[in-house]
Amino acid sequence: MYPQYLFEYPNVQTDFPFYMKKKKYISVPSHRHDFIELSLVLEGTGKERINGAEHHLQPGTIVLLLPYQIHEYDATPGETLQMYICNFDMKLLTAGPESAWGMNEFLFGSENPRSSHIQLKDHDFQEGLLLWERMYREYESLKAWKPIMLRALLLEALAMFVRGSDKPNGKRIEKQHQKNSKGVWPIVQYVYEHYLEALSLTSLSEQFHIHPTQLSTQFGSEFGIHFIEFLHELRVRHACSLLISSDLPISQIGYESGFSSYPTFSRAFHRMKGMSPRDYREQHLRKLQ
């Protein structure tokens, strides 16, 4: 059984797809999402599992999750985890000049793969806390140029993460995950940016010089899902947006979303949303009445 798949959050459909919250947790079940998540633990202790690898959570732990990584966490019995959590689209980081400054390599793999988490202590934790508090106040405000300020603060928080990862005592990810990271994540980014086009394991394997069987295995290992379902999830999300924001015929929406036939679109949509595309559109219209 696949873990819960999350593909929506407040502001996801805006021109600045960034969301931030401050919340307390005791337990969060296994799930994955197609956006980036950056979090900071403020209070409490616990454990988190990312693609099966476990690490500790305590005040000052910062975790950076790429899209589709499976994770879950639990507070230590008798305790509560209080965290800042940011959700945002990867295009906030890969569409600008930052990608040429090392952002793509940092996010999607290099010869020295990044850690999924770091631990801020003492003075570093105090500095990090001030930065995140400022970012949260900015997010809650209605000030002019708010997206510009938030993006600047987000990049500063990521720079802090990178520098923390580079420290000699910085924690590193499991060897198995290191081996897979460089090979699969550039492909994930490519699929994320080209899912409306005709894509297949064969075409991707030829483009990225990796055997189709190996690519299929890596998708299953990283995300607990087959490649075709991964691709269909992206396309169904796109279709959902068209269904609620346009009056295009449903059959045309299927083709606009990358599906080669309406039956394939209808089956994939029903499997992932639990209803037909028509029912999904009608349900949304009823909510607006």
Side-chain angles (χ1 to χ4, degrees):
M1 182 176 182
Y2 295 140
Q4 183 181 12
Y5 171 51
L6 306 178
F7 61 92
E8 293 179 327
Y9 56 91
N11 305 327
V12 68
Q13 300 293 349
T14 67
D15 58 0
F16 188 71
F18 176 91
Y19 172 64
M20 187 173 185
K21 60 185 175 182
K22 182 179 182 181
K23 195 169 182 179
K24 293 183 177 181
Y25 297 95
I26 295 177
S27 178
V28 175
S30 179
H31 67 285
R32 58 195 169 91
H33 31 69
D34 65 357
F35 45 84
I36 296 176
E37 181 171 291
L38 182 67
S39 61
L40 170 66
V41 178
L42 302 173
E43 299 176 2
T45 64
K47 293 182 179 180
E48 180 176 33
R49 284 161 292 282
I50 303 174
N51 287 352
E54 187 174 275
H55 70 91
H56 291 282
L57 296 173
Q58 63 187 56
T61 302
I62 298 180
V63 180
L64 178 63
L65 286 162
L66 292 177
Y68 308 106
Q69 289 186 300
I70 301 169
H71 73 119
E72 60 185 307
Y73 46 88
D74 297 285
T76 301
E79 296 189 34
T80 300
L81 287 164
Q82 185 176 46
M83 307 166 68
Y84 279 131
I85 296 178
C86 300
N87 300 137
F88 52 95
D89 193 296
M90 74 167 77
K91 291 182 180 179
L92 286 183
L93 306 179
T94 59
E98 294 82 7
S99 60
W101 302 339
M103 185 63 73
N104 270 351
E105 183 175 299
F106 166 66
L107 288 174
F108 301 110
S110 66
E111 293 299 334
N112 298 294
R114 65 166 184 83
S115 171
S116 60
H117 60 283
I118 65 169
Q119 182 62 47
L120 300 180
K121 296 181 179 180
D122 305 324
H123 178 69
D124 289 340
F125 179 38
Q126 295 305 314
E127 281 196 341
L129 190 57
L130 290 174
L131 170 61
W132 281 72
E133 287 174 345
R134 185 182 175 196
M135 185 160 55
Y136 188 63
R137 288 197 304 270
E138 186 68 36
Y139 178 77
E140 292 286 289
S141 76
L142 298 174
K143 295 180 180 179
W145 286 25
K146 174 178 169 180
I148 295 175
M149 289 296 297
L150 277 174
R151 191 169 186 274
L153 292 167
L154 175 61
L155 289 173
E156 186 176 351
L158 286 167
M160 178 177 288
F161 184 94
V162 172
R163 293 173 178 179
S165 299
D166 289 340
K167 290 185 176 180
N169 61 348
K171 296 180 180 178
R172 297 294 174 184
I173 45 182
E174 297 295 323
K175 290 183 178 180
Q176 181 180 359
H177 185 62
Q178 287 185 9
K179 182 179 70 174
N180 291 342
S181 292
K182 186 180 179 183
V184 73
W185 285 108
I187 303 173
V188 170
Q189 184 188 13
Y190 182 85
V191 174
Y192 189 89
E193 294 173 351
H194 298 271
Y195 63 86
L196 297 180
E197 303 172 11
L199 296 177
S200 67
L201 276 175
T202 300
S203 64
L204 290 172
S205 65
E206 292 175 353
Q207 180 170 346
F208 289 91
H209 309 291
I210 180 173
H211 194 278
T213 301
Q214 182 182 351
L215 179 56
S216 178
T217 299
Q218 286 190 210
F219 263 96
S221 174
E222 290 284 345
F223 314 127
I225 188 171
H226 297 299
F227 166 76
I228 192 63
E229 291 175 280
F230 169 86
L231 180 61
H232 282 178
E233 285 179 344
L234 291 177
R235 291 173 172 174
V236 165
R237 174 178 174 175
H238 184 83
C240 287
S241 179
L242 291 178
L243 285 167
I244 65 177
S245 64
S246 77
D247 57 0
L248 288 171
I250 293 177
S251 59
Q252 184 177 345
I253 286 177
Y255 289 110
E256 292 284 344
S257 301
F259 289 94
S260 59
S261 71
Y262 179 77
T264 301
F265 167 54
S266 181
R267 287 194 299 269
F269 195 98
H270 194 280
R271 184 172 66 253
M272 294 170 191
K273 305 301 294 183
M275 64 182 76
S276 69
R278 186 177 304 280
D279 288 342
Y280 183 88
R281 171 179 272 175
E282 292 176 352
Q283 182 184 82
H284 177 76
L285 291 175
R286 286 196 296 269
K287 289 180 180 178
L288 298 179
Q289 294 175 352

